[in-house]
Amino acid sequence: MLTNLRKRNLTARLRQPADELWDRYLGVHTFGYHPGSGGPGEREWYMHYIPSSYRDVFAVLDRAGVGPDDVVTDLGCGLGRVVFAAGHRSAARVEGVDLVPSLIDAAKANLAGSRLKHRDIRFHARNALDHDLGMTTLLYLFHPFGPEILGEVIEKARADRRSAGARRSLRIAYVNPVAESVLNEAGWLRPVGDMPPRPELFSNALHYRTAFWESTDV
Ligand SMILES: C[S@@+](CC[C@H](N)C(=O)[O-])C[C@H]1O[C@@H](n2cnc3c(N)ncnc32)[C@H](O)[C@@H]1O
């Protein structure tokens, strides 16, 4: 399995050269794959780890207007590509959360060797449902789990914001928004835009639509 993983990473790195260059520039290794579990219709539908292309991640962060006042949280961060990209875009604090401890161990090792190691970047091996979102201003989701968990996360985000007395609105960027109806029906989020998938030259990475919301609670 390890040999397969190594081979897969090598192939991806060759076929996604811009992402390989970004990894090298940032001093991290974010190519990889980890299987998910469950499936549509099950509460515990956890998606596999596969990173988005840096070009897409930066496009999403820029569209969301990430800046030095932001606390960005990637729920389902894997090896941390989005986290490092948000750090590079100068977010005040970036948090990455993943259910799989080995991915978080590798993400932490990435941080230790990265040019961003002195920034406020934190990784947590935990279920998204156990992460406090009270201070988060930009929530990044790349279809990490199914609609039930998503609904619970969104309700918890609202409760966390109330407990923290959040004064800034929460923006949400949802890549491959399979369960977007959950956000549309939450009652305290309004849709604020949509970005179509765009093909990328010299890359075999998959591309997805991204949808954006903003909270109406502050
Ligand atoms: C599609 S990958 C996203 C990778 C990364 N965010 C990116 O955009 O490149 C989905 C990730 O969500 C994680 N995940 C799935 N269910 C989760 C849960 N309940 N809590 C935390 N992480 C979860 C998986 O382990 C996987 O690494």
Side-chain angles (χ1 to χ4, degrees):
M1 183 184 152
L2 203 58
T3 315
N4 275 343
L5 196 68
R6 286 208 187 103
K7 272 190 200 149
R8 200 178 292 121
N9 288 350
L10 186 60
T11 308
R13 290 164 65 185
L14 287 170
R15 292 190 170 169
Q16 295 159 29
D19 295 327
E20 170 70 4
L21 286 177
W22 269 110
D23 260 10
R24 285 180 185 226
Y25 172 73
L26 294 171
V28 298
H29 303 279
T30 59
F31 284 97
Y33 175 83
H34 192 282
S37 59
E42 293 175 44
R43 180 177 179 277
E44 273 85 31
W45 180 24
Y46 301 137
M47 294 308 294
H48 56 270
Y49 171 68
I50 190 154
S52 318
S53 84
Y54 276 101
R55 186 211 59 172
D56 287 359
V57 173
F58 282 126
V60 170
L61 294 173
D62 292 345
R63 170 68 178 72
V66 70
D69 293 335
D70 275 311
V71 175
V72 180
T73 303
D74 181 14
L75 289 183
C77 66
L79 298 172
R81 185 174 287 190
V82 171
V83 172
F84 295 115
H88 181 67
R89 282 295 196 255
S90 300
R93 190 207 297 173
V94 195
E95 300 206 84
V97 176
D98 207 287
L99 198 59
V100 179
S102 59
L103 290 175
I104 291 295
D105 287 347
K108 286 180 176 170
N110 268 336
L111 179 60
S114 164
R115 63 165 58 225
L116 299 170
K117 65 179 169 216
H118 299 302
R119 304 292 307 279
D120 189 352
I121 291 178
R122 308 169 191 193
F123 288 104
H124 310 278
R126 61 174 67 134
N127 194 311
L129 285 166
D130 299 324
H131 188 70
D132 191 313
L133 292 166
M135 301 305 287
T136 298
T137 58
L138 173 61
L139 177 59
Y140 192 106
L141 303 163
F142 171 16
H143 179 32
F145 28 68
E148 281 189 55
I149 301 275
L150 180 62
E152 291 168 34
V153 163
I154 294 302
E155 272 318 298
K156 183 175 178 307
R158 190 181 202 185
D160 289 347
R161 287 170 59 71
R162 282 184 176 151
S163 315
R167 292 176 177 277
R168 299 187 50 208
S169 65
L170 172 68
R171 290 113 73 212
I172 301 178
Y174 185 7
V175 182
N176 190 16
V178 167
E180 63 190 311
S181 59
V182 170
L183 277 72
N184 287 329
E185 290 159 18
W188 61 285
L189 300 170
R190 67 182 179 96
V192 289
D194 216 274
M195 239 174 49
R198 282 187 305 139
E200 186 175 0
L201 284 178
F202 312 117
S203 172
N204 72 343
L206 298 173
H207 306 286
Y208 300 95
R209 180 170 79 88
T210 301
F212 299 85
W213 287 262
E214 192 170 58
S215 64
T216 55
D217 59 345
V218 286

